[in-house]
Amino acid sequence: MKKQNTEAAALIGRLKETALKTGFSEAGVIDTAGLRFYPEIRAICEKNTCRSYNTCWACPPATGTLEECRQRCEQYDFMLLLNCRYDMKNSFDIQTMLESMTRFKKLMEQFDQNIREFLDSYQILSNEGCGKCKSCTWPDAPCRFPDRLYHSIEGYGFQISELAKAAGIRYHNGQNTITYFGALLFCAP
């Protein structure tokens, strides 16, 4: 991990505290120099398993190539990985999965609002597509809300379980739960 000076450590502490107060279950820090971008993960996107590929500004191919995603991430020193655990009735509770995904996206928006008070330059990555607009302008027109556009963390080719391990937070939270992940990329002062 990059050497953290006192100011950087204080900022990281404040970001973690803000994340937990916002409602995330856990938050952990990763040095961006150690991030790995997997073409295999991007290939899953290209198979359109989540039905968001080539449909919105938050997902590939709108997010750019893996190399462009890597270059974007390398502009920052750290990634704060965030997760939130949601309970389900059973492992086939699709309705709760979808409702929880929406709640997680709202949590990311609230976190964004909370950190704007003290952080200037950063990028937020969230789970799957965007969902802010009923119909996305991709690819015919620019995004309506570029300042609130959170690219898909999976679309960057990240293996989320690997990120969770590096950040020291849980990937699995037990039976009949689902855990969603997002991230904040930021620079040390």
Side-chain angles (χ1 to χ4, degrees), residues 51-118:
R51 298 181 306 245
S52 294
Y53 184 80
N54 201 24
T55 64
C56 67
W57 285 103
C59 291
T63 56
T65 65
L66 275 186
E67 183 55 33
E68 290 168 325
C69 293
R70 176 191 314 276
Q71 289 172 5
R72 242 180 259 124
C73 290
E74 288 175 349
Q75 295 174 29
Y76 302 97
D77 298 320
F78 299 104
M79 172 189 276
L80 181 69
L81 189 68
L82 309 162
N83 77 13
C84 195
R85 173 186 167 248
Y86 299 93
D87 294 321
M88 301 187 310
K89 294 174 190 160
N90 58 59
S91 58
F92 301 102
D93 186 0
I94 301 298
Q95 181 178 345
T96 300
M97 286 181 196
L98 295 173
E99 289 169 357
S100 299
M101 182 171 56
T102 300
R103 288 173 47 206
F104 184 82
K105 288 179 181 303
K106 289 181 180 175
L107 202 60
M108 291 300 293
E109 289 177 12
Q110 184 59 55
F111 180 65
D112 186 6
Q113 290 302 312
N114 293 344
I115 63 173
R116 285 180 188 216
E117 299 173 9
F118 61 91

Side-chain angles (χ1 to χ4, degrees), residues 141-156:
C143 177
R144 292 180 189 101
F145 304 104
D147 60 325
R148 292 183 10 220
L149 174 63
Y150 311 142
H151 287 169
S152 163
I153 191 168
E154 298 91 349
Y156 272 49

Side-chain angles (χ1 to χ4, degrees), residues 150-181:
Y150 311 142
H151 287 169
S152 163
I153 191 168
E154 298 91 349
Y156 272 49
F158 292 126
Q159 186 173 349
I160 306 302
S161 60
E162 181 180 274
L163 292 178
K165 183 176 181 181
I169 65 177
R170 286 183 292 273
Y171 179 71
H172 291 290
N173 279 286
Q175 189 174 353
N176 298 330
T177 66
I178 189 162
T179 306
Y180 288 108
F181 287 82

